[in-house]
Amino acid sequence: MADFTPAFEFVMQHEDAARSGKVTVDAGGRTRFGIAEKFHPRLPEEFFSGSAEDALEIAEEIMRRDYWDPMRLSSLASQNLANKLFDMAVNMGVHQAGIYAQRGVNGLLKAQSLASSVAVRVAEDGVVGEETLAAINSADPIALHQLLCELSRQHYRHLVSINPSQAVNLSGWLRRAEA
């Protein structure tokens, strides 16, 4: 089953590969190690002004509690899919990542059911429950990963289309989508 530690390392490659602890300001407000003030308004000031080591420890706790655990990623058989979905959850939110996971497995199930004439779908409600986990674990992990990359690219392009000021982030988002 998937493990949090390599998934956290994967996400940190996109958030702060050098572990510098640099604070950035974007649409999410002040952000450090991928944790945005807008989505975590109760963060203490020390998260942004204190040591990078302490902030990284807090970020890791938040990511496990607010992203990894709600998506139930420890139940996935594929570490690669867990890494991808965790990264999507941190960047897009748990609900959106869950919808894309469900949409991805539905796309694969639809392609498979055309051959067998059996249509099986997972509700696209953003809640990763037993049916979603079973569908992810039964899917071809390479094909599902490719679909998740494509859904991520579409998501980021859509964000820029509705808010052109975000275009400065697009190339980085697209690199992230490919991972």
Side-chain angles (χ1 to χ4, degrees), residues 21 23 30 32 44-52 54-55:
V23 176
R30 291 186 299 173
R32 193 174 195 192
E45 179 57 34
E46 295 77 36
F47 178 77
F48 297 104
S49 61
S51 77
D54 290 344

Side-chain angles (χ1 to χ4, degrees), residues 6-100:
F8 180 75
E9 293 300 319
F10 180 80
V11 169
M12 282 298 103
Q13 291 303 309
H14 300 119
E15 295 296 349
D16 187 347
R19 308 295 200 282
S20 69
K22 179 181 177 183
V23 176
T24 60
V25 178
D26 56 25
R30 291 186 299 173
T31 302
R32 193 174 195 192
F33 295 120
I35 302 300
E37 186 174 37
K38 176 179 178 181
F39 303 107
H40 302 278
R42 294 190 177 131
L43 283 169
E45 179 57 34
E46 295 77 36
F47 178 77
F48 297 104
S49 61
S51 77
E53 184 178 284
D54 290 344
L56 182 61
E57 199 171 295
I58 293 168
E60 186 173 357
E61 290 171 21
I62 290 170
M63 285 186 188
R64 181 186 296 270
R65 180 191 69 224
D66 294 357
Y67 302 96
W68 178 266
D69 289 344
M71 290 202 65
R72 304 176 61 188
L73 297 172
S74 294
S75 297
L76 295 187
S78 168
Q79 183 69 49
N80 193 44
L81 286 175
N83 293 352
K84 181 66 179 171
L85 288 168
F86 182 51
D87 189 56
M88 291 169 68
V90 168
N91 196 250
M92 301 174 186
V94 168
H95 183 76
Q96 190 63 60
I99 287 173
Y100 288 151

Side-chain angles (χ1 to χ4, degrees), residues 102-103 105-107 109-110 113 118-124 131 135:
Q102 293 160 337
R103 193 166 294 161
V105 295
N106 282 339
L109 290 170
K110 182 179 178 185
S113 69
V118 177
V120 178
R121 291 188 53 82
V122 175
E124 292 182 20
E131 288 181 16

